[in-house]
Amino acid sequence: MLIIAGLGNPGSQYAGNRHNIGFMAVDAIQRRPGFSPWSKKFKALISEGELAGEKVLLIKPQTFMNLSGEAVGEAMRFYKLGPENIIAIYDELDLPAAKARIKTGGGHGGHNGVKSLDAHCGREYRRLRLGIGHPGSKELVHNHVLGDFAKVDQTWLSPLLDALADNAEMLVKAEDSQLMNKLALAVGGKPDEEKPKPEKKPASKPAGQSHIHQARGGGKPNLPTSGPMAEMLKKMFGGKGE
């Protein structure tokens, strides 16, 4: 069994915030066939379903972001699961908008929801980070994170979430590189495997040399010491001895 936890803040006033992209992601998955309606349990909203033959619990903690781990940890212990059975989806300031990255473990990067998950669930869970971009200075971060996505963001946000929901089985099967490619294509990017790779420069070779130069630069040529050719060479080069 897997728990897919989307991080966010409860309440309609936060629903469109960049900080709530984790909620938006699990909402998109829950709308796909096979998932139950949202119900309340574990200080959260939960929906049960199946993906790729695996039982999946979608969870949206209702404890507010800073205490997200309380809800996810309670569900984890109820089902006797470990952090390896958890996938957290959340916003990432340090990724450009529309970019996605996935990894297991790591630091919290200042994200309070992730700090709480680390404290209540351990750190070795999988983390799907969805980029919301950085406003450019530390002073603007709070308003940026708790501000709503702009209308222009819908050009990438909706396709990204739809692609994630359509390919959620890849998330469950840990087909991470394939999933990242699907998400990149959905927002008009290139899949990783198609990104141009740096060309390998051929090993440096000495500059091309003519036959004469090569002969002059190499060992002493074998010259005839007798006969007509020897006589001609003596006349050309003065016939000096070595």
Side-chain angles (χ1 to χ4, degrees), residues 32-49:
R32 294 306 187 264
F35 280 91
S36 67
W38 292 107
S39 60
K40 291 183 179 180
K41 195 174 183 180
F42 310 123
K43 301 179 186 175
L45 292 177
I46 65 168
S47 173
E48 296 177 320

Side-chain angles (χ1 to χ4, degrees), residues 38-133:
W38 292 107
S39 60
K40 291 183 179 180
K41 195 174 183 180
F42 310 123
K43 301 179 186 175
L45 292 177
I46 65 168
S47 173
E48 296 177 320
E50 190 175 292
L51 288 168
E54 185 94 25
K55 188 177 180 182
V56 171
L57 181 77
L58 303 178
I59 183 169
K60 296 193 296 182
Q62 300 296 289
T63 50
F64 286 91
M65 183 67 84
N66 294 7
L67 301 175
S68 298
E70 289 185 7
V72 179
E74 190 175 326
M76 183 183 81
R77 288 184 289 275
F78 179 85
Y79 290 107
K80 297 179 173 59
L81 303 175
E84 68 277 6
N85 303 111
I86 296 172
I87 302 170
I89 307 177
Y90 57 91
D91 57 299
E92 177 57 80
L93 268 173
D94 293 329
L95 279 178
K99 297 291 184 184
R101 291 291 181 268
I102 192 165
K103 66 176 181 177
T104 298
H108 54 72
H111 194 293
N112 289 328
V114 178
K115 282 184 188 177
S116 182
L117 282 181
D118 288 354
H120 289 271
C121 306
R123 294 177 59 182
E124 293 306 304
Y125 54 90
R126 288 170 64 215
R127 305 155 189 238
L128 174 57
R129 299 172 294 144
L130 303 178
I132 59 169

